Amino acid sequence: MVNLKKINHGNWMECIGLDVHDWQKQFVNPNIFSLAEAYVHSDANKEDAEEYYRCIPFAIYCNDKMAGFTLITYEKECGFDDTPGYEIYRLMIAKDYQGKGIGKETIKRIIEYIKTFPYGNAGYIYASWHPENTVSERLCLGSGFEVVGKDEEDGAVISRLKI
């Protein structure tokens, strides 16, 4: 069973220690970088945080063992039409847990969470991946996302799912 649990004082160090295979490191930032980014955009840093942008970090647990990490974002002006939207900004499954369907179940849990609209209503959930990352491509497309464009800066494929 896959669950999302908030990153907190009791699990953040374990989250930092999670890793992917060496050949996957080109596709995902280290969790420590993502947690730092989430902190910068958190309520703890409210005076500096941008009001329209929020990061929501979660540890991914499978049968009560940490198996990965995800960072969801909410933007008041997201996507191609500058309307509110959520994004699966980061998603990593630790190397020892890959190939077991955890990624697919995680996407389902993320979608369920986003449908509670924790930071505001939105019409779409976005996800992107490096063009060579065929695993992420299959995961997103298999979860109902449709390709809507390409990021001109880094070449990432951009997809979205209607909520």
Side-chain angles (χ1 to χ4, degrees):
M1 178 163 184
V2 173
N3 293 304
L4 302 178
K5 294 184 182 180
K6 291 193 177 200
I7 299 293
N8 59 38
H9 183 72
N11 65 8
W12 71 279
M13 290 292 288
E14 183 179 3
C15 181
I16 289 171
L18 295 177
D19 207 1
V20 294
H21 295 285
D22 286 342
W23 63 271
Q24 296 170 314
K25 290 182 181 185
Q26 64 182 322
F27 301 134
V28 64
N29 283 320
N31 291 345
I32 194 167
F33 179 89
S34 298
L35 288 174
E37 187 172 12
Y39 175 77
V40 168
H41 293 287
S42 73
D43 289 337
N45 250 350
K46 198 166 192 143
E47 66 278 356
D48 293 331
E50 299 177 49
E51 286 299 316
Y52 67 90
Y53 185 79
R54 287 287 183 242
C55 293
I56 313 156
F58 286 106
I60 301 164
Y61 282 82
C62 180
N63 299 324
D64 296 321
K65 294 191 179 189
M66 192 181 294
F69 170 78
T70 188
L71 182 61
I72 303 164
T73 61
Y74 172 76
E75 294 182 59
K76 286 188 179 176
E77 296 177 2
C78 183
F80 294 105
D81 55 4
D82 291 329
T83 60
Y86 289 86
E87 181 178 6
I88 302 171
Y89 193 62
R90 304 265 162 63
L91 174 62
M92 68 82 69
I93 304 299
K95 61 185 171 187
D96 294 339
Y97 291 90
Q98 293 179 11
K100 299 175 182 186
I102 295 170
K104 188 173 183 176
E105 283 300 311
T106 298
I107 294 284
K108 289 179 185 177
R109 298 296 164 267
I110 291 170
I111 293 168
E112 289 169 2
Y113 172 77
I114 290 173
K115 285 183 175 181
T116 69
F117 301 109
Y119 283 94
N121 286 327
Y124 293 98
I125 301 170
Y126 292 86
S128 61
W129 60 86
H130 188 280
E132 294 175 19
N133 190 344
T134 57
V135 173
S136 289
E137 178 182 30
R138 283 192 314 268
L139 180 62
C140 290
L141 296 179
S143 298
F145 286 78
E146 61 180 2
V147 174
V148 293
K150 194 172 194 176
D151 186 310
E152 292 179 18
E153 288 181 30
D154 64 7
V157 177
I158 302 169
S159 67
R160 71 180 179 192
L161 175 70
K162 186 161 181 59
I163 302 175

